[in-house]
Amino acid sequence: MSLVRRATSTTAGKILAFFGVSALAGLLVAGLFLPLAVTGGATAATGQKMIEEFPAELREEPVSVPSRILAEDGTELATFYAENRKPVELGRISQEMQDAIVAIEDERFYEHGGVDPQGVGRALVTNASSGTQQGASTITQQYVNNMLINAGILRGEERLTISGTKTYADKLKEMKLAVSVEQDMSKEDILEGYLNLVLFGGRNYGVEAAAQYYWGVPAAELDAAQAATLAGIVKSPTGYNPETNPEASVERRNIVLNSMLEQGKLTEQEHEEATNAELDLDVHRESTGCISASQAPYFCDYVTHEVLSNEAFGPDAESREQLLNRGGLEITTSLDTGLQERAQESVEKTVPTGDDSGAGASLVTVEPGTGYIKAMAQNTTYDPAEDTDAGNTVLNLNVDAAQGGGNGFQGGSSLKPYVAAAWLESGRSMYDMVDASQDHWPAGSTFKASCLEGGSTAISEEWKVNNVIDNMKREMTADFGLYWSINTVMVNMAEELDLCDITDVSTRLGVHRADDGEPLNPANPSFILGSEEFAPMTQAAAYAAFANDGEYCAPRSLVSVKDTNGKEYDVGAPACEQALDPEVVAQLNESLTNIAQRNAEETDQPDSVQEMPMGGKTGTNNSQSSTWYIGYTSGLSTASWVGNYTGLRTLADVPINGTAHEDFWGSTLAGPQWFDYMGETAEDHPAEEFRTPRDSPFEDPGSRDRYATGGDGTEPGNEPERPGDAAESSPDNPEADSPSDSGPSTAP
């Protein structure tokens, strides 16, 4: 077909374009679409009047295009779509495909002006003589119709102008708009738009998506037989679907090939070869959503929650979901694919997916100074078909309930650094002495809590507190107590403080309950020892402030979002604020870095890891069903969690990955998992030294010699060798049913 021929139209077509479709209104009312008029309730108006009321231009809406979630390096993680569509230019669609669709759907496409008079006349005669109903729609009319369907879906309209539900008025509107489109667009643009819009069976919209789905080839490589198969589907996307109705599809394909032969688009030999060809399908199913994510499906799920809860993407969740599934968004996230791969390897090495223990293992990394989430891994398979025995779940172990997680996990002694931070903010020092001999508080005992009514809170039952290590109910420095994670030290420190000052610290660090998002409640003193339940990501973000001189940044995953038209959505900048004074953090880090280095030595980490500037803290609840190691360098903060995510059943003496542990502490698996992962990052993510505190009673603030004494450098003491009995709270006091610490990493 020559370009000259494509650019011209017949006399009838020109006349039709000049008069619009008004001249056909009477004929349409008279017989062509009378059944539609009767059923559609449109007989009240004359065709002429209705024509005048129709818009003269097609109101285009964005075509439904899949959205993609990308890692920070551009790696595609997942796609989301209501309609599988991959728009391409006409030059990337084979000539055979172009010829096939024109041959079967609109053989005079390059001649008419939007409405084909010959087709209308033929349909009029056929309808009058046989009682059947033909629509005589040209490719341009079908293009208009598909655009109207697309716009209706985007606007949430229930009645779509699709075949079988068109009224007489719909058909007239379609004709008038088709003439308008022909005046504004070239034939090539119309054909391109049509081939990118039309349904080719299933959820495959557009020729590129269909070619990839049925044969795994681009539209540019479709041969005559494949092109005819796709062109044949258009009439009945279900009836002629080659995947589900192959015989009907082949029959329809051959009808298309016959039309191509008659119109000179195929030679006799080409026609014979294509007619005898097998369908030879090679179906490439594309699942939508996070279940098909190439990696990090739980991070993908978290990103989805962020989009659906962000007003930047629409006024309500429904409109945001519509945008995600149809808006062609390119969502660039903070995920580091290298870190993600290492994290996933570490959790599966610690507790294999589907392990008989039923234990869960997770890692989540947050970047200090930005809050960007760099990795999010767990030892389960992302699958809506819940089967915890097989390790299948969509429950995200790392995040809050509102973000796809559960109710969180008791934090144990991982909460103690917040108590120490409040201690330092009060003007005290980590080298101040604390009398840790008191180990029980009678019913009615009060703790100062200035933010509560009456300025204090009282416990209703006797609260008994024990330590994991024997012989520690004595006087020692706060530094020594934190280093060995002594429960009685922390409770006695809290009694000297204002509980509201402690919860104020934790709130500034973003610490909140996983189930309802509420901050720690100072009315319940047992929070001191970690009785509340938190998501690992909450803890990773809070500890990231220790890595960055006290600056807290809220966790975030979105770096940038734009649509296919280049529109940028405002995802905001990192939300950071100075939560703690840098000097407070420097003193706290002096204790936490010594804890991390001790754990590195006792788990036989290589010298490069032992020498890495880092801080960290263990934690375990009373039942030994939730264990933590939260640690950080200047560049990365990571929460490592291992525990029972289906309840409080203890993991002590339970074989995990083939090995049972008599006592199950944070240092048992959560700590080694952290070092296995973070030790691998040292080369790519170098760590800088933390700020040195201004005042220290020791010549070498980093020396751990003081931990073999009473902590003040003068009084002799006994270095702990192994933990004693696990700490307990009174079983009769639900308010004080607090978890204990994991104890030192010298635990057997």
Side-chain angles (χ1 to χ4, degrees), residues 605-606 608-609 612 673-683:
Q605 298 299 317
S608 59
V609 175
M612 182 170 64
Q673 177 176 268
W674 187 93
F675 283 106
D676 179 71
Y677 164 63
M678 287 290 284
E680 291 285 327
T681 72
E683 183 175 342

Side-chain angles (χ1 to χ4, degrees), residues 305-369:
H305 279 84
E306 275 218 277
V307 171
L308 296 182
S309 64
N310 192 329
E311 293 183 358
F313 304 108
D316 51 50
E318 183 179 357
S319 62
R320 296 164 201 155
E321 186 172 13
Q322 181 99 282
L323 179 64
L324 179 63
N325 289 328
R326 297 180 178 276
L329 300 180
E330 184 179 278
I331 304 169
T332 301
T333 70
S334 56
L335 189 80
D336 183 312
T337 55
L339 288 175
Q340 178 63 31
E341 183 177 353
R342 293 169 185 165
Q344 192 62 44
E345 289 175 353
S346 292
V347 297
E348 292 182 8
K349 183 165 68 174
T350 301
V351 186
T353 301
D355 190 72
D356 290 341
S357 65
S362 71
L363 285 165
V364 59
T365 298
V366 174
E367 183 178 63

Side-chain angles (χ1 to χ4, degrees), residues 224-237:
Q226 294 167 335
T229 301
L230 292 184
I233 296 174
V234 172
K235 184 178 182 180
S236 176

Side-chain angles (χ1 to χ4, degrees), residues 262-282:
E262 292 171 2
Q263 296 171 38
K265 302 302 180 184
L266 292 176
T267 65
E268 291 285 355
Q269 182 179 349
E270 290 170 339
H271 174 265
E272 182 178 358
E273 291 176 354
T275 302
N276 293 325
E278 300 289 337
L279 280 175
D280 197 25
L281 297 182
D282 181 16

Side-chain angles (χ1 to χ4, degrees), residues 75-360:
T75 300
E76 183 177 297
L77 302 178
T79 60
F80 292 79
Y81 59 80
E83 302 172 0
N84 183 24
R85 177 182 284 112
K86 299 177 176 66
V88 291
E89 297 176 353
L90 191 64
R92 295 171 58 191
I93 301 173
S94 73
Q95 189 61 49
E96 289 85 349
M97 185 67 231
Q98 298 179 45
D99 291 341
I101 201 70
V102 171
I104 196 63
E105 291 296 321
D106 188 0
E107 61 182 292
R108 284 175 293 279
F109 172 66
Y110 292 107
E111 300 170 10
H112 61 66
V115 178
D116 182 9
Q118 292 185 41
V120 171
R122 183 181 65 250
L124 176 61
V125 172
T126 301
N127 291 352
S129 62
S130 66
T132 59
Q133 182 176 306
Q134 289 188 6
S137 291
T138 64
I139 282 179
T140 309
Q141 288 173 255
Q142 292 182 53
Y143 171 69
V144 166
N145 190 40
N146 277 278
M147 287 297 291
L148 291 173
I149 292 172
N150 179 72
I153 291 173
L154 291 179
R155 292 196 294 267
E157 297 173 1
E158 294 183 2
R159 189 183 72 80
L160 305 178
T161 57
I162 57 177
S163 178
T165 62
K166 287 181 187 174
T167 66
Y168 154 59
D170 290 332
K171 193 66 181 182
L172 294 177
K173 177 181 180 181
E174 178 188 288
M175 285 182 165
K176 184 174 182 181
L177 289 173
V179 172
S180 173
V181 166
E182 288 272 356
Q183 293 171 340
D184 293 337
M185 296 174 63
S186 69
K187 291 288 187 180
E188 289 78 8
D189 288 343
I190 294 170
L191 184 59
E192 176 185 305
Y194 173 76
L195 286 172
N196 280 308
L197 275 172
V198 71
L199 175 61
F200 288 102
R203 288 200 291 179
N204 302 304
Y205 288 78
V207 65
E208 179 70 15
Q212 296 281 4
Y213 181 86
Y214 293 117
W215 296 286
V217 300
E221 296 179 9
L222 289 169
D223 60 27
Q226 294 167 335
T229 301
L230 292 184
I233 296 174
V234 172
K235 184 178 182 180
S236 176
T238 300
Y240 296 129
N241 187 317
E243 185 179 12
T244 56
N245 295 304
E247 293 182 3
S249 177
V250 169
E251 184 178 346
R252 176 66 177 170
R253 179 200 69 182
N254 292 343
I255 292 174
V256 177
L257 290 170
N258 291 340
S259 295
M260 294 175 72
L261 177 64
E262 292 171 2
Q263 296 171 38
K265 302 302 180 184
L266 292 176
T267 65
E268 291 285 355
Q269 182 179 349
E270 290 170 339
H271 174 265
E272 182 178 358
E273 291 176 354
T275 302
N276 293 325
E278 300 289 337
L279 280 175
D280 197 25
L281 297 182
D282 181 16
V283 175
H284 290 64
R285 291 182 176 85
E286 292 193 27
S287 299
T288 180
C290 297
I291 194 170
S292 61
S294 60
Q295 65 171 320
Y298 294 97
F299 175 79
C300 170
D301 187 80
Y302 174 81
V303 172
T304 303
H305 279 84
E306 275 218 277
V307 171
L308 296 182
S309 64
N310 192 329
E311 293 183 358
F313 304 108
D316 51 50
E318 183 179 357
S319 62
R320 296 164 201 155
E321 186 172 13
Q322 181 99 282
L323 179 64
L324 179 63
N325 289 328
R326 297 180 178 276
L329 300 180
E330 184 179 278
I331 304 169
T332 301
T333 70
S334 56
L335 189 80
D336 183 312
T337 55
L339 288 175
Q340 178 63 31
E341 183 177 353
R342 293 169 185 165
Q344 192 62 44
E345 289 175 353
S346 292
V347 297
E348 292 182 8
K349 183 165 68 174
T350 301
V351 186
T353 301
D355 190 72
D356 290 341
S357 65

